[in-house]
Amino acid sequence: MMTPGSALLRHAAFAQVSRTPADVFDNLYLVFLVLGTLVGVVVISYTVYNAYKYRASDPDAEGRYDVEETPPEEDGDGVARPQVGEIPTGSGKGGGKKLFVSFTISAVIVLGLIVYAYSLFLYVEDTNQLYDGEDTEDPLEIQVVAEQFRFTYVYPDGTTTEELRIPKDRPILVNVTSQDVMHNFGIRELRVKADAIPNQYNEAWFQAEETGTYEAICYELCGVGHSSMRGEEVIVMEPEEFNDWYDSSEAEKAEVSG
Amino acid sequence: MGENGHLPPKSNIKRWLVTTNHKDIGVLYLITSMFFLVMAGILALLIRAQMWAPGATVLDPGGYYQVATSHGFLMVFWFLSPFAFGFANYVVPLQIGADDLAFPRLNAMSYWLYLFSGVLFGISFFQGATFMGGWTMYAPLNAPAFIPNYGHVGSFAAILALVMFTGSVTIGSVNFLTTIYRMRAEGLRMRDIPLFSMSILLTVWMMLFAFAALLGALVILSSDHLLHTSYFADVDGNPSSGGSLLWTHLFWFFGHPEVYIVFFPALGAMAEIVQTFSGRRLVGRKWFVIAMALVAIQSFIVWMHHMFLTTINLPIKTIMMVTTIGISLPFDLMVFALIYTMIKGRVRWKTPFLFVLGALLIFIVGGITGVFLGAIVLDYSFRGTYWVVAHFHYVMASGAVALIGALYYWYPKITGKMYNEFLGKIHFVVAFVGFNLLYFPMFVVWETPRRMFEYSAGFTFWHRVASVGAVLFAASFVIMIYNLFMSLYSDRVVDDSPWAYTGSTEWAVPSPPPTENFPGTPSFTSGSLRFLEGPEATDGGVEGEEATPDGGQVTAAADHGEPHPDHASWWPVFAGSSALLAGIGLSGLSPSMFVWPFLFALPAFVYFVGAVGARRDGFTVLHGAFLSASFLLLAVFIALFHVTQGIITGLESAPTYFWLALAGAVLGVYTLVRLGFESFYVPEPTSSAQWPFGEVENTKLGMWTFLGSDIILFGAFIGSYVFTRFEFGWQDWWHVAHEVGGLEHHPVWPGLLNTYILLASSFTVVLALVFARRGVGTTEIGPLSVENRKLTLGFIGTTFLGACLFLLNKGIEWVDLYFHQGWTFNADIMSSTFYLTTGLHAAHVVIGMMLMLFLMVRSYTGAYQGEDEARTIEYFGLYWHFVDIVWLFLFPLFYIL
Ligand code: HEM
Ligand SMILES: [Cu+2]
Ligand SMILES: [Cu+2]
């Protein structure tokens, strides 16, 4: 699907957007939220306004529980009203044009939003770009193995831990899989999420800009222990600190295997 | 006419068990579905109680997941759609000018299957634990290896309940499609049917195909439970290579259309109610209908937007994003059409209108938040959170709110009494406030992971607001139930239409309408509704413009020579209850035991065909042969049972489940035989608009649509096979790669032979039809002169024999593979797909054979001789050819390619 158009879009997005998926989400969510609220408020107000403005003023007629129908001739406002037993038809001319105008406007808004969103999507989806940055390191590739009811993290050197220690400011490329049922690996603040599917390998990337501890959460119902499949186990470290830890863990591992 | 056919009065409980009248069944649907609404609502309150504070505060984890799962199942399957179909049953025939649905007994059967499937689901709670893997039933968590032992029986019972429900839906879809296409009042073109009927038409089209896919998924899942195949995971808990993804595809191929299936009837009702209470015809009606049709079609190509976080690739994600956003635009148009209809209207803020207005506002919010989800980058973060929960409640429950409006709208029509307007308005206010208090906070704290009762302490406030909203929302329904119940006894009697500016035909007849619906034959040929009264009116009072192409004018009811249409049968309720018994039984039986109850039902079937047939048509040699054959068959099965299980030990250790299943199976076959022999007169529509199916009879159209859904069922199986095989490695599959797991190369010839056998049997069915059509008489064959009925019988018998040979050949093949080569159901994913897919086909063959047994006794007494009478054989032929054609696909896929 890499048509020239979409390649262009991707470039445009790549050029101007801040880098991490978390930033991308924040930007886009804001845009959607503002426009969505706007559209929602306008449409809802307009609906209620019309329902109110055109309410019938007739009092309830004797013995019936609704207004009296006025015969078509007396209606005055030129609107043909429904009558029992008619072959259903539309309202004729009234409103058709308006319908299309408003439909077009909203379609333009939606399509515009989506084209914009799509350009960002292509950016987030493209993991190759992580490898050709000149001033940054290549991403750290970590395998995430989900099982009932915990995650295990496997580093390139084979280090296997139950805590995800990562350096800040470096892209992290996770490769997510599962050993039993379907899970989903996600870290809320870092906006990374991927299904953990048995026998499938699912890639996603993210980047932390601040050190600290984050929660890894399973977002797919995976059995009775699912609710507790979350923990403060993602530790973002200063790069040097991380390197120290990583080197020592390698040493430990060497000890174990040696 | 006036009297009820054979229908007892409404105060008699028997009436409600035997009725096949669409209005009665509509009422039954409405009441039953509201019962399930209460049940699911109580479960929802339990969920909200658990969410009052983080942690397992009220329910233990297993309990919580059972509650959350069944809340979803009950609301989506057992409340929303059936509630809508209560109205559909009641209103659609009235709106289109039909006396009843095309197949009244099948309609009753739909209802009873629905009710009893819900009962089975309810029972599953008490069988240890019901299913607890979420309404999406993701694999392999849905496979027995990952279900705690105490939940095995209950989970399987829940799955079987869904299978039963699917049966009900499929029968219902066939029925509504046939009715709407073939039984419209004269002069009412397809495009002119009222919007509610139109929405039901599109709904049943979607149902026909979507539920067939669900059935496929459920049968495969059942087989993992019952036969221990390994589509999703083997018994030791090793997930299969592609099972997890396969399930998401199967489920969402059904699941996405399903969300529109539950919404469409509400949309139709909204359109009707907005028209009535605005006193205006719908703006852009044509475009509204086109938009609905577009959405219905497109709903089948957006399913992977539920799978953006799986491993599907970029191009596919892109396509799904485009189709998803594309589908939101027609909705857009429909919403605007509803809004503009109010302009220049005479809008009355009556309860039905308030509910519809509320539903519209809610739906707008739901739709907008749906667009958020369609933007994949956003969905990555929203997936699995309360954003999704809030979104789909805003859209789906908006449907529910609209249908509550529909309940107030049609309540006077159904009961003949007006509800209390003041209480109705109170209900609306409380419900609307409660609804938004309940669901809007979910957007605020959308970062809460879905289906998790642990959440960040900071979110507690908003979850408490939601819980309070839930209590309000629930309480509002108490007001409704009180109002509707008390109003039954009020003196607010209504005439034809209590509302001004109604349009459709149901408002032109008394409330409630009489059994036969109309005072004469409804017709629109003059440009608006008229009731033609019997032959005189058609002869004298009607001008030349009313001539119809086929000239059929005379109404059956007025002609005293015609029999009265029947409105009562016991067999639908028996069919439903035997399915319930069999379902309970099946849920608790082991792989080695479960077939026996059903095998023992076969001789019972043969016996009943003989015995009931003899009573109906008079005893003949053939009936005698059936009776003796049944005992022979029983002896054979008992012997087989003895060899495999040991008759004493087998029966001694047989659990209660065994006897339940046996009772269900035997009662089931008895019911089917009685249904088959029952004389139940339903007039074939003569003077009605039938485009585009004017040339086919009701039953044939019914058979076509049924086969259409069967195609999807097999499509799901074949698709699953192809998908699984690709994940596994196409060329590594056993019948092309030699020496897999010590299995000898699978010979092609049994499959090939069976292909020939089936083709030949298709030919003999045609011959049976040819001689049946010749009517009573004889045919010269060389020097012989043979009675036509005997030739008919002979060729059906030959077909039956072909089917026997087919099964025999297959049996030999299976015995070799299964026992001699040890290639059991759970040997690997290849054996699973092979046995199950060809087994499903074999099951179709067996059903065909049972039908043929029935046809044989009847044809011997000459029941099918004649152009019209032979149609039954023609319909069977359609089915049989279909079964053959399926084999033509299975054979290459499983033996050659
Ligand atoms: C207006 C256009 C709509 C769009 C663009 C849309 C989009 C989506 C998307 C992308 C999802 C997947 C969310 C996820 O799990 O990550 C979703 C979920 C869902 N939608 Fe919509 N939707 C729309 C309207 C509707 C309507 C009309 C209904 C039904 C009445 C509906 C019912 C649902 C349901 C039930 C789910 C969740 C299923 C589940 O995961 O359990 N949506 N929607
Ligand atoms: Cu989980
Ligand atoms: Cu969907």
Side-chain angles (χ1 to χ4, degrees):
Chain A
M1 283 305 276
M2 285 308 281
T3 59
S6 64
L8 208 94
L9 275 177
R10 200 194 67 192
H11 258 89
F14 188 56
Q16 28 139 306
V17 167
S18 34
R19 297 185 349 238
T20 72
D23 296 332
V24 171
F25 175 84
D26 290 347
N27 283 339
L28 195 61
Y29 181 48
L30 190 68
V31 173
F32 268 69
L33 208 55
V34 168
L35 275 173
T37 311
L38 200 72
V39 171
V41 168
V42 169
V43 176
I44 287 179
S45 321
Y46 185 64
T47 310
V48 176
Y49 167 77
N50 278 326
Y52 186 75
K53 177 171 174 205
Y54 293 101
R55 75 195 185 288
S57 43
D58 312 46
D60 277 18
E62 193 72 38
R64 293 184 41 115
Y65 301 93
D66 202 356
V67 295
E68 206 72 63
E69 278 179 47
T70 41
E73 321 83 63
E74 292 172 27
D75 230 358
D77 49 6
V79 176
R81 311 228 170 259
Q83 282 175 305
V84 174
E86 67 184 10
I87 291 187
T89 51
S91 65
K93 293 215 184 75
K97 207 191 242 164
K98 232 192 219 152
L99 184 60
F100 274 92
V101 172
S102 40
F103 172 70
T104 314
I105 293 175
S106 54
V108 167
I109 297 178
V110 169
L111 293 179
L113 272 178
I114 283 304
V115 170
Y116 172 57
Y118 186 64
S119 66
L120 296 175
F121 165 64
L122 288 177
Y123 167 71
V124 170
E125 201 74 346
D126 182 8
T127 47
N128 288 332
Q129 46 138 334
L130 301 176
Y131 289 90
D132 42 51
E134 280 120 42
D135 41 34
T136 47
E137 283 175 275
D138 277 353
L140 177 62
E141 294 175 21
I142 299 173
Q143 198 180 15
V144 178
V145 183
E147 69 191 287
Q148 289 177 327
F149 296 95
R150 62 183 177 163
F151 298 108
T152 311
Y153 308 96
V154 185
Y155 287 77
D157 67 353
T159 305
T160 304
T161 67
E162 298 209 343
E163 281 173 345
L164 179 61
R165 286 173 187 275
I166 49 170
K168 76 171 209 187
D169 291 337
R170 180 173 165 191
I172 312 294
L173 187 65
V174 285
N175 195 342
V176 185
T177 188
S178 164
Q179 286 194 331
D180 39 46
V181 301
M182 190 155 158
H183 303 263
N184 178 301
F185 169 75
I187 308 170
R188 192 218 286 172
E189 295 88 344
L190 303 179
R191 300 286 172 225
V192 60
K193 209 181 268 173
D195 280 339
I197 307 172
N199 299 311
Q200 302 272 332
Y201 296 87
N202 202 355
E203 271 191 356
W205 74 278
F206 65 101
Q207 183 169 327
E209 287 174 314
E210 262 155 63
T211 59
T213 314
Y214 300 88
E215 211 176 2
I217 300 179
C218 174
Y219 282 94
E220 186 62 63
L221 176 54
C222 57
V224 284
H226 170 65
S227 281
S228 47
M229 192 163 164
R230 55 190 293 170
E232 302 268 341
E233 59 191 40
V234 182
I235 302 158
V236 181
M237 314 164 91
E238 292 294 344
E240 308 81 59
E241 237 183 290
F242 172 79
N243 285 338
D244 290 348
W245 170 80
Y246 191 47
D247 294 343
S248 69
S249 78
E250 204 169 9
E252 267 172 39
K253 197 194 62 184
E255 258 170 45
V256 174
S257 58
Chain B
M1 215 177 65
E3 93 262 45
N4 290 332
H6 308 289
L7 217 45
K10 283 189 182 164
S11 55
N12 186 342
I13 187 98
K14 183 179 158 209
R15 153 117 174 192
W16 300 99
L17 294 173
V18 300
T19 182
T20 62
N21 181 270
H22 72 100
K23 294 185 292 299
D24 291 349
I25 290 174
V27 171
L28 286 172
Y29 262 107
L30 287 174
I31 292 173
T32 311
S33 60
M34 278 199 278
F35 176 78
F36 285 115
L37 168 69
V38 171
M39 191 165 156
I42 290 171
L43 296 173
L45 289 177
L46 281 173
I47 297 177
R48 287 319 309 173
Q50 181 92 333
M51 295 299 280
W52 185 257
T57 45
V58 178
L59 300 158
D60 64 346
Y64 180 76
Y65 289 124
Q66 289 180 59
V67 165
T69 302
S70 10
H71 162 73
F73 277 144
L74 287 170
M75 280 294 187
V76 174
F77 292 109
W78 279 284
F79 165 60
L80 258 177
S81 273
F83 191 53
F85 272 76
F87 297 120
N89 263 289
Y90 205 100
V91 175
V92 168
L94 288 169
Q95 284 196 334
I96 66 172
D99 292 343
D100 204 326
L101 287 173
F103 311 109
R105 285 185 306 172
L106 286 185
N107 193 29
M109 197 136 92
S110 285
Y111 168 73
W112 292 110
L113 280 174
Y114 154 61
L115 170 68
F116 285 118
S117 69
V119 171
L120 179 56
F121 190 83
I123 288 175
S124 74
F125 275 96
F126 303 100
Q127 295 173 298
T130 187
F131 190 78
M132 50 180 109
W135 88 284
T136 49
M137 298 180 273
Y138 268 19
L141 187 62
N142 57 9
F146 292 107
I147 293 174
N149 279 331
Y150 64 88
H152 274 182
V153 175
S155 298
F156 189 38
I159 294 165
L160 290 173
L162 284 169
V163 172
M164 246 172 102
F165 181 81
T166 310
S168 153
V169 166
T170 306
I171 296 173
S173 312
V174 168
N175 215 339
F176 274 94
L177 281 170
T178 309
T179 307
I180 297 176
Y181 279 117
R182 296 248 322 141
M183 296 170 69
R184 299 185 313 276
E186 236 185 312
L188 194 63
R189 296 175 303 174
M190 269 319 274
R191 71 182 79 157
D192 291 335
I193 62 178
L195 286 159
F196 181 68
S197 295
M198 183 66 86
S199 72
I200 293 296
L201 174 74
L202 292 166
T203 305
V204 288
W205 268 120
M206 288 192 281
M207 277 182 157
L208 188 72
F209 297 127
F211 272 87
L214 176 67
L215 183 61
L218 290 172
V219 171
I220 290 174
L221 180 58
S222 301
S223 133
D224 268 17
H225 277 259
L226 197 56
L227 305 175
H228 291 168
T229 50
S230 51
Y231 267 90
F232 304 121
D234 65 17
V235 278
D236 304 320
N238 300 307
S240 68
S241 45
S244 223
L245 267 187
L246 171 65
W247 180 267
T248 54
H249 281 296
L250 285 175
F251 184 83
W252 288 117
F253 182 80
F254 152 75
H256 187 84
E258 168 66 5
V259 305
Y260 292 166
I261 286 169
V262 300
F263 189 70
F264 260 44
L267 198 61
M270 279 162 95
E272 300 267 348
I273 293 170
V274 166
Q275 290 191 119
T276 297
F277 289 93
S278 303
R280 271 202 80 189
R281 301 179 183 133
L282 190 69
V283 168
R285 183 184 199 271
K286 182 166 112 196
W287 296 106
F288 192 91
V289 171
I290 291 175
M292 273 208 288
L294 258 180
V295 167
I297 295 168
Q298 211 175 328
S299 70
F300 286 92
I301 51 167
V302 300
W303 79 92
M304 278 181 264
H305 67 214
H306 298 273
M307 300 165 57
F308 282 144
L309 283 178
T310 65
T311 46
I312 56 173
N313 63 25
L314 179 65
I316 291 183
K317 284 180 188 171
T318 306
I319 293 171
M320 288 297 147
M321 184 186 82
V322 171
T323 52
T324 299
I325 296 306
I327 211 169
S328 74
L329 296 179
F331 271 117
D332 203 41
L333 186 134
M334 291 189 260
V335 168
F336 279 119
L338 291 174
I339 297 173
Y340 289 143
T341 302
M342 297 187 293
I343 294 179
K344 288 199 188 167
R346 311 187 66 205
V347 181
R348 286 99 64 207
W349 291 50
K350 299 268 174 189
T351 307
F353 179 76
L354 286 175
F355 271 94
V356 165
L357 182 66
L360 191 61
L361 302 184
I362 291 169
F363 185 71
I364 290 168
V365 177
I368 291 175
T369 55
V371 175
F372 281 53
L373 291 169
I376 306 182
V377 185
L378 295 184
D379 181 72
Y380 281 175
S381 282
F382 290 143
R383 167 107 192 127
T385 68
Y386 266 69
W387 185 281
V388 177
V389 179
H391 156 69
F392 74 69
H393 281 97
Y394 261 87
V395 276
M396 278 218 206
S398 134
V401 170
L403 288 176
I404 296 297
L407 184 61
Y408 282 108
Y409 180 58
W410 278 307
Y411 178 88
K413 174 55 51 188
I414 295 172
T415 62
K417 300 286 178 66
M418 180 51 82
Y419 60 84
N420 180 317
E421 184 66 42
F422 176 71
L423 286 179
K425 286 196 169 116
I426 300 275
H427 173 205
F428 169 73
V429 173
V430 180
F432 191 72
V433 172
F435 183 100
N436 286 292
L437 272 186
L438 167 55
Y439 296 117
F440 202 81
M442 295 186 188
F443 284 123
V444 180
V445 288
W446 67 265
E447 302 245 34
T448 315
R450 179 182 179 185
R451 290 165 171 164
M452 226 185 215
F453 46 73
E454 298 289 350
Y455 57 87
S456 313
F459 294 166
T460 312
F461 172 74
W462 290 107
H463 278 297
R464 292 200 171 163
V465 174
S467 296
V468 171
V471 173
L472 266 187
F473 193 44
S476 77
F477 284 90
V478 178
I479 305 175
M480 178 187 86
I481 291 168
Y482 173 81
N483 183 356
L484 298 188
F485 187 76
M486 295 311 280
S487 300
L488 282 181
Y489 301 99
S490 77
D491 54 2
R492 293 187 296 272
V493 180
V494 297
D495 53 13
D496 293 4
S497 172
W499 315 121
Y501 304 120
T502 47
S504 41
T505 307
E506 80 267 30
W507 303 108
V509 292
S511 314
T515 307
E516 69 279 5
N517 285 353
F518 307 110
T521 309
S523 164
F524 283 92
T525 41
S526 63
S528 67
L529 177 67
R530 288 215 276 156
F531 296 113
L532 311 180
E533 303 224 4
E536 320 91 85
T538 346
D539 293 338
V542 178
E543 290 81 32
E545 50 171 327
E546 304 213 333
T548 52
D550 49 30
Q553 289 276 333
V554 182
T555 59
D559 183 345
H560 292 281
E562 287 279 327
H564 288 309
D566 285 308
H567 292 298
S569 168
W570 274 105
W571 305 113
V573 60
F574 275 102
S577 38
S578 51
L580 172 64
L581 287 176
I584 303 175
L586 205 52
S587 70
L589 284 176
S590 64
S592 60
M593 274 305 254
F594 89 90
V595 280
W596 293 105
F598 300 94
L599 282 185
F600 286 131
L602 289 179
F605 178 78
V606 180
Y607 177 84
F608 293 140
V609 171
V612 179
R615 237 182 40 207
R616 162 94 196 260
D617 300 323
F619 188 84
T620 65
V621 193
L622 196 63
H623 295 112
F626 269 61
L627 295 181
S628 15
S630 72
F631 287 107
L632 212 68
L633 200 60
L634 183 64
V636 171
F637 283 146
I638 289 179
L640 269 176
F641 185 70
H642 185 61
V643 171
T644 52
Q645 312 280 323
I647 193 150
I648 304 295
T649 50
L651 287 183
E652 263 179 356
S653 63
T656 318
Y657 285 121
F658 176 86
W659 300 107
L660 283 173
L662 187 65
V666 172
L667 183 63
V669 291
Y670 180 64
T671 303
L672 290 180
V673 171
R674 290 299 300 262
L675 263 175
F677 280 109
E678 188 174 47
S679 71
F680 190 92
Y681 175 69
V682 180
E684 181 81 11
T686 47
S687 58
S688 43
Q690 303 178 334
W691 182 89
F693 296 109
E695 300 299 312
V696 283
E697 317 83 62
N698 279 0
T699 316
K700 193 193 265 183
L701 183 59
M703 183 54 104
W704 278 356
T705 41
F706 168 74
L707 291 181
S709 93
D710 221 12
I711 288 177
I712 302 290
L713 175 65
F714 274 107
F717 271 80
I718 292 174
S720 301
Y721 165 77
V722 170
F723 184 90
T724 307
R725 192 167 157 188
F726 265 118
E727 288 288 328
F728 185 90
W730 187 267
Q731 289 302 330
D732 302 331
W733 209 250
W734 64 302
H735 68 258
V736 279
H738 297 238
E739 291 141 33
V740 177
L743 197 69
E744 285 167 37
H745 191 58
H746 182 213
V748 175
W749 68 263
L752 190 63
L753 183 62
N754 267 349
T755 312
Y756 289 130
I757 293 174
L758 277 191
L759 285 178
S761 75
S762 253
F763 184 61
T764 50
V765 172
V766 174
L767 288 179
L769 179 61
V770 166
F771 289 107
R773 280 205 172 129
R774 289 201 180 165
V776 185
T778 56
T779 297
E780 313 292 324
I781 301 177
L784 295 171
S785 142
V786 192
E787 269 184 83
N788 286 337
R789 67 178 175 95
K790 287 197 174 152
L791 284 167
T792 309
L793 171 67
F795 282 112
I796 298 177
T798 321
T799 313
F800 186 82
L801 219 66
C804 286
L805 280 178
F806 177 89
L807 286 186
L808 188 70
N809 185 16
K810 189 176 224 41
I812 294 172
E813 178 196 31
W814 280 28
V815 166
D816 175 55
L817 289 170
Y818 193 98
F819 291 106
H820 298 159
Q821 306 201 39
W823 201 53
T824 52
F825 294 144
N826 52 4
D828 49 42
I829 185 70
M830 297 177 282
S831 72
S832 298
T833 50
F834 173 77
Y835 287 119
L836 193 61
T837 314
T838 57
L840 179 74
H841 178 264
H844 275 72
V845 173
V846 172
I847 291 169
M849 289 168 70
M850 291 169 71
L851 293 173
M852 280 189 270
L853 285 173
F854 177 79
L855 295 181
M856 275 151 76
V857 283
R858 298 239 54 212
S859 63
Y860 187 69
T861 58
Y864 303 129
Q865 299 309 125
E867 196 60 48
D868 281 344
E869 289 78 359
R871 291 222 169 103
T872 308
I873 295 184
E874 190 187 349
Y875 307 144
F876 169 75
L878 285 176
Y879 173 80
W880 194 249
H881 299 321
F882 169 76
V883 172
D884 292 354
I885 291 170
V886 168
W887 182 255
L888 292 185
F889 284 91
L890 296 189
F891 171 59
L893 276 173
F894 283 91
Y895 291 82
I896 300 174
L897 292 178

